[in-house]
Amino acid sequence: MTNPSQTPRPAKTPARSSARNDLDRIEATGNPWWAQAPSVAMTCLTVTVIPLKLLALAADTAVSVCFLAVFGSVGLWYIGYIPDQTVAEVLGSVGQRLLGILEGTGLL
């Protein structure tokens, strides 16, 4: 067994100044702070645009549901699940509303 007092100790390195430590840390990053500016700008733009994307997604979903409702109703009427009398009443009321709007604007 070796005596612990006989094992060689590593040589002490001189204390480095704080300024040199900061310089080493900055050099270790590999690029200056302004090199990240395009990435930061793109991230800010993405965060700003997210609400608009969500609004567009909600509007797209609403249009899809309306499309499905209209063509689903036409399909159910064609198959016979919705009687002709009900379709005539609904279309008549829609026609009356459109006629009222046109008369109110003075086009007719």
Side-chain angles (χ1 to χ4, degrees):
M1 215 162 167
T2 62
N3 187 355
S5 62
Q6 292 177 352
T7 58
R9 290 185 178 174
K12 283 190 170 185
T13 58
R16 300 175 80 176
S17 70
S18 176
R20 182 64 193 162
N21 288 338
D22 289 343
L23 184 60
D24 287 343
R25 184 176 46 85
I26 291 170
E27 287 175 355
T29 60
N31 54 6
W33 64 269
W34 48 265
Q36 299 297 325
S39 173
V40 171
M42 191 57 145
T43 303
C44 291
L45 182 66
T46 301
V47 168
T48 304
V49 172
I50 284 176
L52 295 175
K53 284 185 177 182
L54 292 175
L55 184 63
L57 182 63
D60 183 45
T61 303
V63 168
S64 297
V65 167
C66 289
F67 183 82
L68 182 64
V70 167
F71 284 99
S73 298
V74 169
L76 290 174
W77 167 72
Y78 185 75
I79 292 173
Y81 283 108
I82 299 175
D84 291 341
Q85 183 180 7
T86 305
V87 173
E89 289 174 8
V90 171
L91 290 179
S93 67
V94 170
Q96 289 297 325
R97 286 184 184 175
L98 289 175
L99 189 59
I101 290 171
L102 290 175
E103 288 176 350
T105 59
L107 293 174
L108 287 179

